[in-house]
Amino acid sequence: MSAPLLDVQNVTVRYKETVGIRDASLRAGEGEILGFIGADGAGKSSLMHAIAGVIRFEGMIRFRDRTFRSPRQAEALKPAIGLMPQGIGLVLYRNLTVAEHLDFFAEIRNLKQDAAFRAYRQKLLEMAGLARFTDRAAGHLSGGMMQKLSLICTLLHRPKLLLLDEPTTGVDPLSRLELWEILQQIRREEGTTALISTAYMQEAARMDRLLLFDGGRIIAQGRAEELTRSVRDYCYEPTDCPESRCIRTLDTTYSLEPLPAPKKEPGLEALFFVEAIRRGKIPPAIEVSPRESAEPIPPVVMEARGLTKRFGDFIADDHIDMRLAGGEILGLLGANGAGKTTFIKMLLGLYPIDEGELTLLGRPIRSAADRRELKARIGYVSQHFALYKDMTVLENLRYFASIHRIPQARARERIRRYAEELGFAPYLHALPGDLPLGINQRFSLAAALLHEPVVLFLDEPTSGVDAIARAQFWQLLQKLKERWGIAILITTHYMSEAEYCDRVVLLKQGKKIADDTVENLHRRFPEAKSFEEIFLRFYKEDG
Amino acid sequence: MKLGVVRAYMLKEIKEMLRSKMIVLVYLLPTMIVILFGYGIRLEVTHARTVILDHDQSRLSRDLIGHFRHSKYFDTRVMNITEQQALHRIKQAKTEILIIIPEGFEKRLIQGVGTEIGVFVDGAFPIRGETMANYVEGVIFDAARRLMPPKEAKLITLDNRNLFNQAMRDENAIVPGLIGLILLVAPAILSALLIVKEKEEGTIFNFYSSPIKKSEFLLAKLFPAFVLHSVNIFLLFLWATWLFEVPFRGSFTLYWFASEIYVLISLGVGLLVSIITSTQIVATVLTIIITIIPGFLYSGMLMPISAMSAESVIEAHIYPVMYFNHIVYDTFLVGQGLASPKNQLYLAILLAYAVGLILLGSFLMKKELR
Amino acid sequence: MMRTFLSLVNKEILGFLRAWGLVAVVLYAFTLDIYIAGKGIELQAKNVSVGYVDESGGVVSLKILERLHAPQFKPPVRFLSQKELDRALRNREIMVGLLFDNDFSRDYERSGHARLNVLLDATAAAQSFQALQYLQHILLDFSEIHFPVGLKIHKLFNPNATTSWFMSLAELLSMMTLLGVILTAAVFVREKENGTWDMMLLMPVDPRLIILAKSFSQVLILSLGIVIATGLILFGAFDVPIHGSIWAFFLLSFFYAFTSAGIGLFVAAVSRSMMEVAQLAIFIMMPLIFLSGAWTPIHAMAPWLQKLSLISPLRYYIEGSESIFFRGTAWGDLWPYFAGVIGLGALVYLYGFRRIGRLF
């Protein structure tokens, strides 16, 4: 490592009532990539904002030979710093085109627009795959393209220090890979130092060094291998263990005490689980009681033949056939803009079907009237939906219960049971906005389950949710499948989650390109180490 | 300050405004307000619906009725109904004025015995009721005086000259004041929105994290708003003089110059609003609340400052709108221009407000997250 | 059915109460805003400032000036020359200038006829006209003429011409319109903005019931607002008299609340964000309020505008409310207002209902 280019000492960021990050120190050398990992609200963004000089802080930050203690003092360094804050397309202007963005960012940073600059600009556009779309308004780009545009806008002035706050959350694996490639190339050519926060552990594993955040502090740092090695002794193949001292997920059991089970090679996620056990913050085990209604689950829940949706000239879904059986978890995967959400919305009747036939629960769907009665048997959770923000969790659940005409006594009983089983009993009287995303997603699921539906449609329910909450969410889905035998259709950008699905369907530019079990796909691509590689293979294969 | 940076930022603002149709708000709102209020606020009374019950049916009573019939202030009907029924008509809002000429009206007049005419006026809309009562009184006394032998009358007559607005048109009195209202409200909303929009959507990070100076950012935000609303200065002038036919007697240069300064004041108000708010809807509502009340009540438009109570006069002097309206009314109706020391003083005060507000805004604005 | 309806209503009311900013704005609109409007806007000419130049050197002028007193007039200010008086008028320091010229006293003593020159600042047309009327009155009084004709003028309903009565009522009714539109539109647009719209569509409930419940919840809030504003501000602060039945007013308000909710439904159907709601609401409401007679009596408008005002439901609401409060109109005679509000209201509400229904 060369001499530290960036030296952060005892930085604390305070908000009106809370502390964002306390006493954080770090160093980074030229060309080094530092990864920030940790749950929602762990302090990653606060530290990035402090280093970018956009928020007041206590402590000291030195970059190159300049030291600053306030945003004002950081002004002189801003030509050398690039910040991409969290949120898809956050810094983009919806009405401006791609080319106008590049011009704008170049001009507000007063860059000299000579031949060298134009060549660099063109190179960035090509690297981001946006060269063809220079005339498209940012509001019309897919999430992945927006993030790539944001990144190249941030890179335009060749910053020496790059701060990227979750640039890949909600972005599909292919776009993630492309973003990463752009970054590697820039680092090689410009020697840029980068601080990047991420929710994807495969991505984190590629960073030079990682900082683990928890509760507003940096609790560990080191190379990915060092960090995983430090928890290697605590990871076992799934096995039973005393609930109060270990955490079980679908594929691993974590325990500080030795267990009579074979050890397992941990991923970076293990850090979070082990840390949680150390702090005694063990999440309650998920339990699901059998459903009360005796309604049988039909063998085929949903059958789509040639389902098509057009928006003007653009074909969002192109003649898609799909079948969802009872008791099956079907993963719907694809890049941003491949047509996943559109497909689910067609199934739900939120978009009219332009072409094709749909049979839901054994009933052909031709009109809105066909659906009305079915609504009571379908559950839906979307990535945006986190209940009504101005009602407490309990009020929300009661509201949904009475909308579904569940008798009051039974509704009370069910809410109580779900609250216990899904482990949100302590939060019943809190407002959803005050709670972490992971817990919110559990209420959303509870609300969708109150009327004991026969089929669940889940649209990116785990985006932006931390590792522990995601593991629990999947445990819950597994239990629902086992105990209730209901069918689940789910979309996700975490390819590791695809492994938990019984079957996956891959969409690409509105067309179905694969529909098979995960095992079969692994058999087809024996050299692939993870499902992510299989996904990328499919996507890169034919153009 | 790097002008290239400012120019690029401004270009972006203008493109966004055009594409998001915000530009419609910039030009439609002022015009709509001036047209609605200009036509809408009428304080003079014409065509008051009058019913006369003539219980006398004499030459004199018909003569009196004739006086009402010939006045543009009244739409007179002589009806043959009972007093009760007539009063009922007022309750139903079908009639506004009821005049009852008693039996033996003519006879008693000729005999020189006093007689009394009963008048009922609908006072639900107070200023209208008051004015109607005054009109009725005027017509009846006028008629009575003509009946009287001239030598008996010992009378001071009023010889009034209505300065600045000879015909006492409401348009002349209201429309110039509306300019002061609109140019206070509209630019403030625009400048507040231009800044708060970036805060709400998150693009403000581009300002925070880049080397753009605060002064460059402010110039880029305020200058387009300034230029766009400068067009409104002319537009409003056009509506006032062409549509409402308000005379313009003063110096156009003074009107223009004072209005430009006033637009700057409004931009300063918007800037201050944008500092304390973070969503567009709150910024809009707050701007409207804090600008419309002084724009209406303490501007001298509906109520002359000289006729206010002592504490209202002090309040009126706090808001910049009073100073501007003084100059605007001067340029439209009076025409003293800069020859009047008061106009000079007020112009200076406006300038101080503009500079003060914008300096205060740029001082309070921080280039960092809160 | 009823339980679903009630829980839909309950949800919206809870949502409203939790949004404390909104509650504050609504409370402000129904109390302080109406108070300020009633208190602040005084259109009557009061405290008229008078200046005079007295070249007559007589007692007559002084006697006349003595009669200019509060509340109509401020104490007259003496100017030494006509030029100074002129300057004060031009700078609008005074509104009325009186010129007692050389011959004034002499003429009056000798013939009983004299002319008093009055200079009026007519930039404030209404007030200067009223001031002139006051002067005329004073002079008539002063002349002690005994007309054979007496006049007995009854100003019905508001004998002291208290502006606050009228203005506070008119402001309350305008606020009803404003809030009815914005609140109702907000209920729907908030769901669009928060991404809960889809969830609403997926509920196993008849969409018509959802729309009805959502708008009804806002009608309830408005009705409560009307009661608060009437009790606290109209009766409490301004002692507005009510000659008719308060229940008639509340009933009329309740129907009108549906009308404004109907406009809100339309606004919600065509806007995507709260920003658009605010803009659209301004553009729809201004003409509506303008055409209603809240600012200016309908009969003072141009004839074509009077015809146009027939389609503004607010017109019937305002006229009806004025009649109930001030004219004490009986139930039986209120039917045109009820018919106007309910008829136009039903049209507006159904149209809004269908527009938003298309989104379901």
Side-chain angles (χ1 to χ4, degrees), chain B residues 22 24-25 28-29 32-33 36-37 39-44 46-47 49 73 87-88 90-93 96 105 109 113-131 133-137 140-141 144-145 148 150 153-166 168-170 172-174 193 280-281 284-285 288-289 293 297 302-309 313 325-327 329-330 333-334 336 340 342-343, chain C residues 25 28 33 36 40-49 60 64 74 82 86-87 89-95 104 108 111-130 132-137 139-140 142-143 145-163 166 274-275 278-279 282-283 286-287 290 293-297 299-301 304-305 322-323 326-329 333 337:
Chain B
M22 183 121 89
V24 178
L25 183 76
L28 201 57
L29 189 67
M32 196 176 85
I33 295 179
L36 286 183
F37 284 67
Y39 280 119
I41 301 181
R42 279 286 170 280
L43 300 174
E44 65 173 352
T46 52
H47 304 285
R49 289 160 303 158
Y73 300 122
L87 283 172
H88 192 74
I90 298 188
K91 283 199 174 183
Q92 289 173 308
E96 290 168 287
F105 173 72
L109 266 184
V113 190
T115 177
E116 195 173 78
I117 294 175
V119 178
F120 295 85
V121 175
D122 182 348
F125 203 133
I127 189 164
R128 187 173 168 87
E130 196 83 341
T131 312
N134 282 333
Y135 284 164
V136 173
E137 224 170 6
I140 292 177
F141 282 142
R145 219 178 49 222
M148 282 181 23
K154 197 175 184 191
L155 192 66
I156 302 172
T157 42
L158 283 177
D159 186 9
N160 60 302
R161 263 174 52 210
N162 306 330
L163 302 174
F164 321 132
N165 181 10
Q166 201 141 25
M168 291 204 174
R169 294 176 70 223
D170 270 337
N172 296 5
I174 301 287
L193 279 183
Q280 299 179 62
I281 185 91
T284 314
V285 172
I288 288 180
I289 288 179
I293 295 225
L297 302 187
L302 293 176
M303 193 69 216
I305 307 279
S306 68
M308 286 179 176
S309 65
V313 171
N325 270 7
H326 186 88
I327 296 176
Y329 275 106
D330 185 272
L333 302 176
V334 183
Q336 291 190 99
S340 145
K342 196 166 180 181
N343 283 345
Chain C
V25 169
Y28 172 85
D33 178 77
I36 291 173
I41 302 181
E42 177 58 76
L43 300 174
Q44 303 286 354
K46 283 183 183 159
N47 290 316
V48 174
S49 49
V60 188
I64 292 175
K74 284 182 184 164
Q82 194 178 337
D86 222 45
R87 196 187 48 78
L89 269 167
R90 283 177 186 280
N91 284 336
R92 268 159 294 139
E93 280 147 18
I94 55 172
M95 211 167 98
F104 181 77
Y108 187 75
S111 66
H113 277 289
R115 293 172 80 79
L116 172 57
N117 294 307
V118 182
L119 298 171
L120 282 174
D121 168 11
T123 51
Q127 285 89 354
S128 54
F129 188 79
Q130 270 195 332
L132 189 66
Q133 304 267 354
Y134 293 152
L135 278 176
Q136 218 133 30
H137 242 271
L139 290 178
L140 272 178
F142 180 79
S143 311
I145 309 168
H146 295 288
F147 276 125
V149 187
L151 253 189
K152 195 160 168 59
I153 296 186
H154 309 264
K155 279 172 216 146
L156 298 172
F157 320 129
N158 190 352
N160 296 322
T162 316
T163 310
F166 177 79
M274 282 305 290
M275 199 56 231
Q279 291 180 6
I282 293 176
F283 283 118
M286 282 224 177
F290 156 68
W295 300 332
T296 202
H299 295 284
M301 292 179 189
W304 61 276
L305 280 176
E322 276 174 32
S323 292
F326 304 128
R327 303 194 180 99
T329 313
D333 287 324
Y337 311 120

Side-chain angles (χ1 to χ4, degrees), chain B residues 169-360:
Chain B
R169 294 176 70 223
D170 270 337
E171 290 93 327
N172 296 5
I174 301 287
V175 174
L178 287 176
I179 297 178
L181 173 72
I182 294 165
L183 290 184
L184 184 66
V185 178
I189 293 182
L190 183 64
S191 64
L193 279 183
L194 284 182
I195 298 173
V196 172
K197 192 160 86 74
E198 296 224 28
K199 270 189 174 179
E200 191 172 1
E201 291 173 358
T203 46
I204 193 83
F205 270 107
N206 295 335
F207 163 52
Y208 289 159
S209 66
S210 65
I212 306 175
K213 289 200 193 72
K214 207 158 74 174
S215 54
E216 293 164 348
F217 177 76
L218 284 177
L219 190 63
K221 288 285 177 191
L222 299 185
F223 191 70
F226 177 72
V227 171
L228 290 176
H229 275 291
S230 297
V231 178
N232 271 325
I233 296 174
F234 294 89
L235 212 57
L236 290 172
F237 175 79
L238 197 71
W239 295 140
T241 51
W242 175 71
L243 195 63
F244 291 103
E245 296 175 343
V246 180
F248 191 82
R249 304 195 175 102
S251 135
F252 184 78
T253 323
L254 175 62
Y255 163 76
W256 184 21
F257 185 61
S259 300
E260 297 284 14
I261 295 175
Y262 189 61
V263 168
L264 285 180
I265 294 175
S266 174
L267 294 177
V269 172
L271 176 61
L272 289 175
V273 167
S274 77
I275 289 167
I276 55 170
T277 57
S278 51
T279 59
Q280 299 179 62
I281 185 91
V282 174
T284 314
V285 172
L286 188 66
T287 314
I288 288 180
I289 288 179
I290 63 173
T291 51
I292 283 205
I293 295 225
F296 254 119
L297 302 187
Y298 297 102
S299 64
M301 163 170 54
L302 293 176
M303 193 69 216
I305 307 279
S306 68
M308 286 179 176
S309 65
E311 67 241 65
S312 299
V313 171
I314 295 171
E315 279 178 70
H317 278 77
I318 296 173
Y319 303 116
V321 56
M322 180 198 98
Y323 306 101
F324 177 67
N325 270 7
H326 186 88
I327 296 176
V328 169
Y329 275 106
D330 185 272
T331 54
F332 272 94
L333 302 176
V334 183
Q336 291 190 99
L338 279 179
S340 145
K342 196 166 180 181
N343 283 345
Q344 291 168 14
L345 175 66
Y346 279 10
L347 199 63
I349 292 175
L350 285 177
L351 205 57
Y353 261 104
V355 174
L357 282 172
I358 289 184
L359 280 185
L360 183 67

